[in-house]
mmCIF file of all heavy atoms in Angstrom:
data_model
loop_
_atom_site.group_PDB
_atom_site.id
_atom_site.type_symbol
_atom_site.label_atom_id
_atom_site.label_comp_id
_atom_site.label_asym_id
_atom_site.label_seq_id
_atom_site.Cartn_x
_atom_site.Cartn_y
_atom_site.Cartn_z
ATOM 1 N N LEU A 283 -23.223 14.004 -39.720
ATOM 2 C CA LEU A 283 -24.128 15.099 -39.405
ATOM 3 C C LEU A 283 -23.616 16.446 -39.877
ATOM 4 O O LEU A 283 -24.372 17.360 -40.096
ATOM 5 C CB LEU A 283 -24.377 15.134 -37.897
ATOM 6 C CG LEU A 283 -24.825 13.805 -37.327
ATOM 7 C CD1 LEU A 283 -25.077 13.912 -35.854
ATOM 8 C CD2 LEU A 283 -26.055 13.298 -38.040
ATOM 9 N N HIS A 284 -22.317 16.560 -40.031
ATOM 10 C CA HIS A 284 -21.774 17.846 -40.445
ATOM 11 C C HIS A 284 -21.405 17.872 -41.906
ATOM 12 O O HIS A 284 -21.241 18.907 -42.479
ATOM 13 C CB HIS A 284 -20.537 18.179 -39.632
ATOM 14 C CG HIS A 284 -20.716 17.883 -38.198
ATOM 15 N ND1 HIS A 284 -20.018 16.906 -37.569
ATOM 16 C CD2 HIS A 284 -21.579 18.411 -37.309
ATOM 17 C CE1 HIS A 284 -20.428 16.848 -36.317
ATOM 18 N NE2 HIS A 284 -21.361 17.738 -36.136
ATOM 19 N N THR A 285 -21.214 16.698 -42.479
ATOM 20 C CA THR A 285 -20.671 16.670 -43.825
ATOM 21 C C THR A 285 -21.765 16.575 -44.877
ATOM 22 O O THR A 285 -21.539 16.812 -46.033
ATOM 23 C CB THR A 285 -19.702 15.493 -43.986
ATOM 24 O OG1 THR A 285 -20.386 14.323 -43.572
ATOM 25 C CG2 THR A 285 -18.471 15.671 -43.139
ATOM 26 N N SER A 286 -22.958 16.234 -44.473
ATOM 27 C CA SER A 286 -24.038 16.101 -45.441
ATOM 28 C C SER A 286 -25.121 17.119 -45.160
ATOM 29 O O SER A 286 -25.235 17.643 -44.068
ATOM 30 C CB SER A 286 -24.642 14.708 -45.363
ATOM 31 O OG SER A 286 -23.666 13.753 -45.623
ATOM 32 N N GLN A 287 -25.878 17.378 -46.155
ATOM 33 C CA GLN A 287 -27.007 18.282 -45.979
ATOM 34 C C GLN A 287 -28.297 17.505 -46.229
ATOM 35 O O GLN A 287 -28.291 16.513 -46.926
ATOM 36 C CB GLN A 287 -26.879 19.445 -46.957
ATOM 37 C CG GLN A 287 -25.578 20.197 -46.764
ATOM 38 C CD GLN A 287 -25.363 21.226 -47.837
ATOM 39 O OE1 GLN A 287 -25.970 21.171 -48.895
ATOM 40 N NE2 GLN A 287 -24.499 22.168 -47.558
ATOM 41 N N PHE A 288 -29.368 17.988 -45.675
ATOM 42 C CA PHE A 288 -30.579 17.181 -45.727
ATOM 43 C C PHE A 288 -31.807 18.006 -46.057
ATOM 44 O O PHE A 288 -31.879 19.183 -45.745
ATOM 45 C CB PHE A 288 -30.808 16.497 -44.377
ATOM 46 C CG PHE A 288 -29.629 15.714 -43.932
ATOM 47 C CD1 PHE A 288 -28.737 16.249 -43.022
ATOM 48 C CD2 PHE A 288 -29.381 14.477 -44.457
ATOM 49 C CE1 PHE A 288 -27.617 15.530 -42.633
ATOM 50 C CE2 PHE A 288 -28.260 13.760 -44.073
ATOM 51 C CZ PHE A 288 -27.373 14.295 -43.159
ATOM 52 N N THR A 289 -32.738 17.353 -46.673
ATOM 53 C CA THR A 289 -34.030 17.990 -46.917
ATOM 54 C C THR A 289 -35.014 17.497 -45.874
ATOM 55 O O THR A 289 -34.998 16.319 -45.540
ATOM 56 C CB THR A 289 -34.624 17.536 -48.272
ATOM 57 O OG1 THR A 289 -33.575 17.459 -49.193
ATOM 58 C CG2 THR A 289 -35.689 18.485 -48.731
ATOM 59 N N PHE A 290 -35.817 18.360 -45.416
ATOM 60 C CA PHE A 290 -36.818 17.944 -44.444
ATOM 61 C C PHE A 290 -38.200 18.081 -45.020
ATOM 62 O O PHE A 290 -38.627 19.159 -45.397
ATOM 63 C CB PHE A 290 -36.682 18.760 -43.158
ATOM 64 C CG PHE A 290 -35.415 18.445 -42.475
ATOM 65 C CD1 PHE A 290 -34.257 19.130 -42.779
ATOM 66 C CD2 PHE A 290 -35.356 17.408 -41.574
ATOM 67 C CE1 PHE A 290 -33.065 18.800 -42.190
ATOM 68 C CE2 PHE A 290 -34.166 17.071 -40.969
ATOM 69 C CZ PHE A 290 -33.012 17.771 -41.276
ATOM 70 N N ASP A 291 -38.839 16.959 -45.110
ATOM 71 C CA ASP A 291 -40.183 16.916 -45.638
ATOM 72 C C ASP A 291 -41.087 16.740 -44.424
ATOM 73 O O ASP A 291 -41.332 15.643 -43.980
ATOM 74 C CB ASP A 291 -40.267 15.731 -46.601
ATOM 75 C CG ASP A 291 -41.690 15.453 -47.028
ATOM 76 O OD1 ASP A 291 -42.543 16.332 -46.840
ATOM 77 O OD2 ASP A 291 -41.941 14.356 -47.512
ATOM 78 N N SER A 292 -41.486 17.847 -43.853
ATOM 79 C CA SER A 292 -42.134 17.719 -42.564
ATOM 80 C C SER A 292 -43.620 18.019 -42.600
ATOM 81 O O SER A 292 -44.082 18.847 -43.381
ATOM 82 C CB SER A 292 -41.460 18.655 -41.565
ATOM 83 O OG SER A 292 -41.625 19.972 -42.000
ATOM 84 N N VAL A 293 -44.325 17.305 -41.780
ATOM 85 C CA VAL A 293 -45.749 17.567 -41.612
ATOM 86 C C VAL A 293 -45.904 18.310 -40.296
ATOM 87 O O VAL A 293 -45.577 17.779 -39.246
ATOM 88 C CB VAL A 293 -46.541 16.241 -41.556
ATOM 89 C CG1 VAL A 293 -48.015 16.507 -41.384
ATOM 90 C CG2 VAL A 293 -46.249 15.420 -42.784
ATOM 91 N N PRO A 294 -46.318 19.556 -40.338
ATOM 92 C CA PRO A 294 -46.401 20.320 -39.099
ATOM 93 C C PRO A 294 -47.341 19.666 -38.085
ATOM 94 O O PRO A 294 -48.344 19.082 -38.443
ATOM 95 C CB PRO A 294 -46.953 21.673 -39.552
ATOM 96 C CG PRO A 294 -46.677 21.737 -40.994
ATOM 97 C CD PRO A 294 -46.735 20.330 -41.493
ATOM 98 N N ASN A 295 -46.936 19.749 -36.874
ATOM 99 C CA ASN A 295 -47.700 19.152 -35.792
ATOM 100 C C ASN A 295 -47.565 20.117 -34.618
ATOM 101 O O ASN A 295 -46.644 20.025 -33.841
ATOM 102 C CB ASN A 295 -47.094 17.778 -35.482
ATOM 103 C CG ASN A 295 -47.699 17.153 -34.252
ATOM 104 O OD1 ASN A 295 -48.754 17.569 -33.790
ATOM 105 N ND2 ASN A 295 -47.024 16.150 -33.723
ATOM 106 N N ALA A 296 -48.460 21.065 -34.552
ATOM 107 C CA ALA A 296 -48.328 22.149 -33.579
ATOM 108 C C ALA A 296 -48.238 21.619 -32.152
ATOM 109 O O ALA A 296 -48.909 20.659 -31.794
ATOM 110 C CB ALA A 296 -49.513 23.095 -33.696
ATOM 111 N N LEU A 297 -47.360 22.205 -31.380
ATOM 112 C CA LEU A 297 -47.226 21.795 -29.987
ATOM 113 C C LEU A 297 -48.475 22.186 -29.217
ATOM 114 O O LEU A 297 -48.996 23.281 -29.373
ATOM 115 C CB LEU A 297 -46.012 22.482 -29.362
ATOM 116 C CG LEU A 297 -44.656 22.075 -29.920
ATOM 117 C CD1 LEU A 297 -43.574 22.954 -29.312
ATOM 118 C CD2 LEU A 297 -44.376 20.630 -29.633
ATOM 119 N N SER A 298 -48.933 21.267 -28.388
ATOM 120 C CA SER A 298 -50.151 21.561 -27.638
ATOM 121 C C SER A 298 -49.847 22.446 -26.437
ATOM 122 O O SER A 298 -50.709 23.078 -25.881
ATOM 123 C CB SER A 298 -50.787 20.263 -27.167
ATOM 124 O OG SER A 298 -49.836 19.526 -26.446
ATOM 125 N N GLU A 299 -48.597 22.473 -26.052
ATOM 126 C CA GLU A 299 -48.249 23.218 -24.838
ATOM 127 C C GLU A 299 -47.000 24.046 -25.116
ATOM 128 O O GLU A 299 -46.065 23.559 -25.731
ATOM 129 C CB GLU A 299 -47.925 22.199 -23.736
ATOM 130 C CG GLU A 299 -48.030 22.734 -22.360
ATOM 131 C CD GLU A 299 -47.938 21.573 -21.372
ATOM 132 O OE1 GLU A 299 -48.236 20.441 -21.762
ATOM 133 O OE2 GLU A 299 -47.558 21.827 -20.248
ATOM 134 N N PRO A 300 -46.939 25.284 -24.702
ATOM 135 C CA PRO A 300 -45.738 26.076 -24.980
ATOM 136 C C PRO A 300 -44.554 25.553 -24.179
ATOM 137 O O PRO A 300 -44.723 25.058 -23.072
ATOM 138 C CB PRO A 300 -46.125 27.485 -24.525
ATOM 139 C CG PRO A 300 -47.234 27.287 -23.551
ATOM 140 C CD PRO A 300 -47.932 26.015 -23.917
ATOM 141 N N ASP A 301 -43.350 25.624 -24.772
ATOM 142 C CA ASP A 301 -42.157 25.197 -24.059
ATOM 143 C C ASP A 301 -41.781 26.188 -22.983
ATOM 144 O O ASP A 301 -41.284 25.834 -21.932
ATOM 145 C CB ASP A 301 -40.982 25.070 -25.031
ATOM 146 C CG ASP A 301 -41.088 23.802 -25.838
ATOM 147 O OD1 ASP A 301 -41.364 22.769 -25.216
ATOM 148 O OD2 ASP A 301 -40.928 23.867 -27.053
ATOM 149 N N ARG A 302 -41.990 27.445 -23.288
ATOM 150 C CA ARG A 302 -41.595 28.457 -22.317
ATOM 151 C C ARG A 302 -42.679 28.642 -21.265
ATOM 152 O O ARG A 302 -43.857 28.672 -21.567
ATOM 153 C CB ARG A 302 -41.325 29.785 -23.028
ATOM 154 C CG ARG A 302 -39.933 29.782 -23.577
ATOM 155 C CD ARG A 302 -39.585 31.000 -24.360
ATOM 156 N NE ARG A 302 -38.616 30.615 -25.381
ATOM 157 C CZ ARG A 302 -37.331 30.360 -25.124
ATOM 158 N NH1 ARG A 302 -36.858 30.500 -23.917
ATOM 159 N NH2 ARG A 302 -36.518 29.987 -26.081
ATOM 160 N N MET A 303 -42.243 28.760 -20.048
ATOM 161 C CA MET A 303 -43.181 28.955 -18.945
ATOM 162 C C MET A 303 -43.727 30.383 -19.001
ATOM 163 O O MET A 303 -43.066 31.294 -19.472
ATOM 164 C CB MET A 303 -42.454 28.788 -17.606
ATOM 165 C CG MET A 303 -41.768 27.473 -17.432
ATOM 166 S SD MET A 303 -42.927 26.134 -17.282
ATOM 167 C CE MET A 303 -42.503 25.183 -18.705
ATOM 168 N N LEU A 304 -44.899 30.561 -18.483
ATOM 169 C CA LEU A 304 -45.429 31.919 -18.388
ATOM 170 C C LEU A 304 -44.625 32.673 -17.330
ATOM 171 O O LEU A 304 -44.120 32.075 -16.383
ATOM 172 C CB LEU A 304 -46.912 31.872 -17.996
ATOM 173 C CG LEU A 304 -47.796 31.230 -19.068
ATOM 174 C CD1 LEU A 304 -49.202 31.018 -18.541
ATOM 175 C CD2 LEU A 304 -47.808 32.079 -20.333
ATOM 176 N N PRO A 305 -44.515 33.995 -17.462
ATOM 177 C CA PRO A 305 -43.637 34.752 -16.569
ATOM 178 C C PRO A 305 -43.912 34.549 -15.071
ATOM 179 O O PRO A 305 -43.001 34.506 -14.275
ATOM 180 C CB PRO A 305 -43.896 36.206 -16.965
ATOM 181 C CG PRO A 305 -44.419 36.136 -18.348
ATOM 182 C CD PRO A 305 -45.119 34.823 -18.488
ATOM 183 N N ASN A 306 -45.156 34.372 -14.700
ATOM 184 C CA ASN A 306 -45.434 34.229 -13.265
ATOM 185 C C ASN A 306 -45.383 32.760 -12.820
ATOM 186 O O ASN A 306 -45.799 32.400 -11.745
ATOM 187 C CB ASN A 306 -46.796 34.845 -12.917
ATOM 188 C CG ASN A 306 -47.903 34.238 -13.741
ATOM 189 O OD1 ASN A 306 -47.654 33.351 -14.564
ATOM 190 N ND2 ASN A 306 -49.120 34.704 -13.521
ATOM 191 N N ASP A 307 -44.834 31.910 -13.677
ATOM 192 C CA ASP A 307 -44.812 30.483 -13.379
ATOM 193 C C ASP A 307 -43.380 29.981 -13.532
ATOM 194 O O ASP A 307 -43.131 28.867 -13.919
ATOM 195 C CB ASP A 307 -45.737 29.801 -14.398
ATOM 196 C CG ASP A 307 -45.898 28.316 -14.132
ATOM 197 O OD1 ASP A 307 -45.763 27.927 -12.964
ATOM 198 O OD2 ASP A 307 -46.137 27.570 -15.097
ATOM 199 N N VAL A 308 -42.448 30.860 -13.221
ATOM 200 C CA VAL A 308 -41.080 30.603 -13.649
ATOM 201 C C VAL A 308 -40.163 30.171 -12.520
ATOM 202 O O VAL A 308 -40.276 30.647 -11.401
ATOM 203 C CB VAL A 308 -40.519 31.899 -14.289
ATOM 204 C CG1 VAL A 308 -39.018 31.909 -14.266
ATOM 205 C CG2 VAL A 308 -41.015 32.034 -15.713
ATOM 206 N N GLY A 309 -39.267 29.212 -12.843
ATOM 207 C CA GLY A 309 -38.109 28.927 -11.993
ATOM 208 C C GLY A 309 -38.436 28.323 -10.649
ATOM 209 O O GLY A 309 -39.589 28.106 -10.297
ATOM 210 N N CYS A 310 -37.391 28.030 -9.891
ATOM 211 C CA CYS A 310 -37.565 27.461 -8.565
ATOM 212 C C CYS A 310 -37.840 28.575 -7.574
ATOM 213 O O CYS A 310 -37.102 29.545 -7.535
ATOM 214 C CB CYS A 310 -36.303 26.716 -8.161
ATOM 215 S SG CYS A 310 -36.247 25.085 -8.839
ATOM 216 N N PRO A 311 -38.839 28.441 -6.742
ATOM 217 C CA PRO A 311 -39.148 29.506 -5.802
ATOM 218 C C PRO A 311 -38.086 29.656 -4.731
ATOM 219 O O PRO A 311 -37.991 30.689 -4.089
ATOM 220 C CB PRO A 311 -40.482 29.065 -5.188
ATOM 221 C CG PRO A 311 -40.554 27.590 -5.402
ATOM 222 C CD PRO A 311 -39.737 27.292 -6.618
ATOM 223 N N THR A 312 -37.269 28.626 -4.514
ATOM 224 C CA THR A 312 -36.322 28.659 -3.408
ATOM 225 C C THR A 312 -34.893 28.982 -3.843
ATOM 226 O O THR A 312 -33.959 28.682 -3.135
ATOM 227 C CB THR A 312 -36.318 27.302 -2.679
ATOM 228 O OG1 THR A 312 -36.174 26.280 -3.673
ATOM 229 C CG2 THR A 312 -37.584 27.082 -1.901
ATOM 230 N N HIS A 313 -34.714 29.579 -5.013
ATOM 231 C CA HIS A 313 -33.372 29.929 -5.478
ATOM 232 C C HIS A 313 -32.564 30.643 -4.420
ATOM 233 O O HIS A 313 -33.008 31.634 -3.864
ATOM 234 C CB HIS A 313 -33.461 30.939 -6.647
ATOM 235 C CG HIS A 313 -33.742 30.296 -7.945
ATOM 236 N ND1 HIS A 313 -34.038 31.005 -9.069
ATOM 237 C CD2 HIS A 313 -33.779 29.001 -8.299
ATOM 238 C CE1 HIS A 313 -34.247 30.169 -10.046
ATOM 239 N NE2 HIS A 313 -34.097 28.950 -9.612
#
Side-chain angles (χ1 to χ4, degrees):
L283 308 181
H284 316 113
T285 53
S286 301
Q287 302 172 341
F288 306 99
T289 321
F290 293 88
D291 170 16
S292 62
V293 180
N295 172 16
L297 294 174
S298 55
E299 201 170 337
D301 283 314
R302 277 177 210 285
M303 303 291 118
L304 294 171
N306 56 1
D307 185 27
V308 158
C310 278
T312 50
H313 279 171

